Amino acid sequence: MDLALLERTLHERGEPAFRARQVWEWTARGAPGYAAMTNLPLPLRDELAAAVPFSTLSVETEREARDGTVKTLFRTGDGHPVEAVLMRYRDGRRSLCLSSQSGCPLTCTFCATGTMAFGRNLSASEILVQALHFRRLTEVDHAVFMGMGEPMLNLDEVLAAARRLPDLGITHRRTTISTVGWLPGLRRFVDEVDEPIRLALSLHAPDDGLRSRIMPVNERYPIADVVAECLRHAQTTRRRVFVEYVMLAGVNDAPEQARALAALLGRDHFKVNLIPYNPTGLYEGSSRDRIAAFRHELERARVPVTVRLTRGRDIEAACGQLAAAPKPHRHTAVPAG
Ligand code: SAH
C-alpha cells in the first residue's frame, strides 16, 4: 500500500495519528485487506478501501515450482510487469527475492532481465507490496534485492522499502541489497546507510577485459573502483561483502581465474557465492566438477566460499531468469491482493 497516501487520507479525515500505525501493523502481519482490521471503525475500513488501494500492484499469475518456490508476476497500475519470488528452504528459512525496477536498463549478457524492455523504477510501495504479498502466504525471514532491476539506480525507494521490512519479520541483518557496482548509488549506500543491511556485489569475472565483455556496465565502472568501494563498506561495518559469481563454462570458471579472484578479494572482507548458471540462452553452465575445482582454489587461498542452491528453475524463477514470463504457461487465478 502507498503509506504516504494512507497518512494523507487519514489526516484529511481528521483521524488520530495512531490510525496509520494500526493499519500498517495489520498489513505487515499479513492481513488480507482493510475488512480484517477489526480495531478500526467499520465505516473507516470501508472508506479506506475506496480511497487507498490496499495494493499498488495487481497479481497477474503465480506459479509454484516442485521445490516449493513461488514466482509471482505482478503488474503496476500503469501496466509494467514486475516479478518476485518466495523461496522456501528445508531448514525452514523463507526468503524473498524482490525487484527494484520493472526490467533493467543494464545488459548483462547472462541475465534474462537485461533482454526485456526497461520499464521504470518502482516506488517504495511497489517494492514493499511484493513482500507483503508473500507475507500473506507465510511467515518470512530473509529478503534479497536480487529480482529485476539494479537497486543502486533506485536507491531511495529501495531503502524506504527495506526500512519497513523488519515489521514483516525480516531484520536488516537478513536483508541483502545486490548491485552490479553502479558506483554513484553504491557510494551513497556506503556513506549513508546506518542500518546493518547486507551488501552483495555481482562480480562474475576477476579482470576488466572479461567483465566488460559479459557485463557492459564494467566499461563505466571498472573492477578496481567497485571493489575498493565494497572494501570500504566491509571495513567500516566490519561485515563481509558477498560476492556473486555465476559459473559460465569456459568463460570465467578456470582455476587460474579462481586464483585471480582470490588475489583480488583477499581473505578478510569478502565471501564468495558461486552461482550455478541458470540457462537463459547464451552460455553453458559450468559442470559440478568445474565448480568444485573453482571452489577448491578459493578455499586454498582461504577465501570464504559457498555454492548457491538453485531454486525454482522449472518455473524460470531462478537467478537471472526473471523476464516477465516470455513462455506460455498455466495461469493460476489469484485474487489481487
Ligand atoms: N542488478 C543487481 C540485482 C539483481 S541480482 C545485480 O546484478 O546484482 C541477480 C543475481 O543473479 C546477480 O548476481 C546476477 O548476476 C545473477 N544472475 C543473472 N543471470 C543469471 C543466470 N542466468 N544464472 C545465475 N545467476 C544469474
Side-chain angles (χ1 to χ4, degrees):
M1 96 180 29
D2 182 338
L3 293 171
L5 176 62
L6 172 71
E7 277 171 21
R8 242 185 357 261
T9 307
L10 289 169
H11 183 75
E12 279 161 13
R13 285 188 86 259
E15 289 290 333
F18 62 82
R19 289 282 182 231
R21 198 176 61 241
Q22 283 178 319
V23 172
W24 171 245
E25 277 169 5
W26 279 104
T27 308
R29 276 186 269 125
Y34 293 107
M37 302 180 185
T38 47
N39 57 355
L40 261 57
L42 197 53
L44 178 59
R45 285 182 246 166
D46 291 341
E47 280 183 46
L48 286 177
V52 186
F54 190 63
S55 180
T56 47
L57 297 177
S58 55
V59 173
E60 196 158 298
T61 60
E62 189 155 71
R63 300 166 75 195
E64 183 163 341
R66 283 189 291 272
D67 62 17
T69 300
V70 179
K71 177 171 83 165
T72 305
L73 170 63
F74 302 91
R75 236 358 112 180
T76 64
D78 56 347
H80 292 290
V82 177
E83 286 187 321
V85 179
L86 164 70
M87 291 159 288
R88 301 188 250 216
Y89 294 91
R90 283 204 200 102
D91 62 5
R93 234 173 349 130
R94 299 272 186 278
S95 188
L96 304 180
C97 179
L98 305 176
S99 291
S100 55
Q101 301 180 311
S102 172
C104 185
L106 305 178
T107 50
C108 302
T109 53
F110 43 81
C111 180
T113 307
T115 63
M116 65 179 278
F118 173 60
R120 62 166 171 79
N121 280 341
L122 299 180
S123 68
S125 160
E126 289 166 334
I127 296 168
L128 202 52
V129 155
Q130 300 165 45
L132 289 169
H133 171 75
F134 293 115
R135 179 64 189 83
R136 290 195 280 279
L137 301 180
T138 175
E139 305 221 327
V140 290
D141 46 43
H142 286 73
V144 293
F145 284 85
M146 296 188 188
M148 292 177 164
E150 167 50 42
M152 297 301 175
L153 285 168
N154 188 22
L155 186 59
D156 290 321
E157 301 298 310
V158 165
L159 287 175
R163 288 182 170 127
R164 293 274 180 177
L165 291 177
D167 298 335
L168 280 68
I170 302 167
T171 62
H172 291 319
R173 286 175 199 283
R174 291 172 166 187
T175 300
T176 302
I177 296 181
S178 180
T179 178
V180 296
W182 187 267
L183 267 184
L186 179 55
R187 283 207 183 97
R188 278 195 51 215
F189 180 88
V190 177
D191 285 334
E192 295 171 22
V193 175
D194 293 326
E195 296 86 352
I197 295 172
R198 286 271 188 172
L199 177 64
L201 171 66
S202 292
L203 187 59
H204 309 312
D207 64 90
D208 281 319
L210 175 59
R211 192 167 191 259
S212 293
R213 275 209 303 289
I214 65 176
M215 297 175 69
V217 66
N218 191 71
E219 299 275 354
R220 193 150 170 178
Y221 302 120
I223 291 178
D225 297 349
V226 169
V227 168
E229 201 55 27
C230 291
L231 186 62
R232 189 162 75 87
H233 184 68
Q235 284 167 334
T236 51
T237 62
R238 294 164 189 252
R239 284 189 313 274
R240 288 179 191 271
V241 171
F242 296 133
V243 167
E244 295 156 274
Y245 196 99
V246 59
M247 299 295 294
L248 307 172
V251 176
N252 65 356
D253 66 345
E256 58 268 27
Q257 287 166 317
R259 290 192 287 275
L261 183 64
L264 172 70
L265 299 176
R267 53 172 85 150
D268 297 329
H269 299 296
F270 295 93
K271 179 177 175 198
V272 176
N273 200 205
L274 301 178
I275 313 178
Y277 172 62
N278 298 306
T280 56
L282 265 186
Y283 299 96
E284 293 279 337
S286 307
S287 67
R288 276 174 174 234
D289 287 353
R290 217 43 191 172
I291 296 176
F294 198 93
R295 174 187 191 152
H296 181 70
E297 285 297 330
L298 290 170
E299 282 170 345
R300 263 188 8 155
R302 307 240 188 90
V303 177
V305 53
T306 53
V307 178
R308 181 175 292 174
L309 280 177
T310 296
R311 311 292 296 176
R313 224 190 233 180
D314 55 315
I315 56 165
E316 285 90 42
C319 307
Q321 294 188 313
L322 301 188
K327 293 184 194 157
H329 56 254
R330 272 184 297 125
H331 286 222
T332 318
V334 182

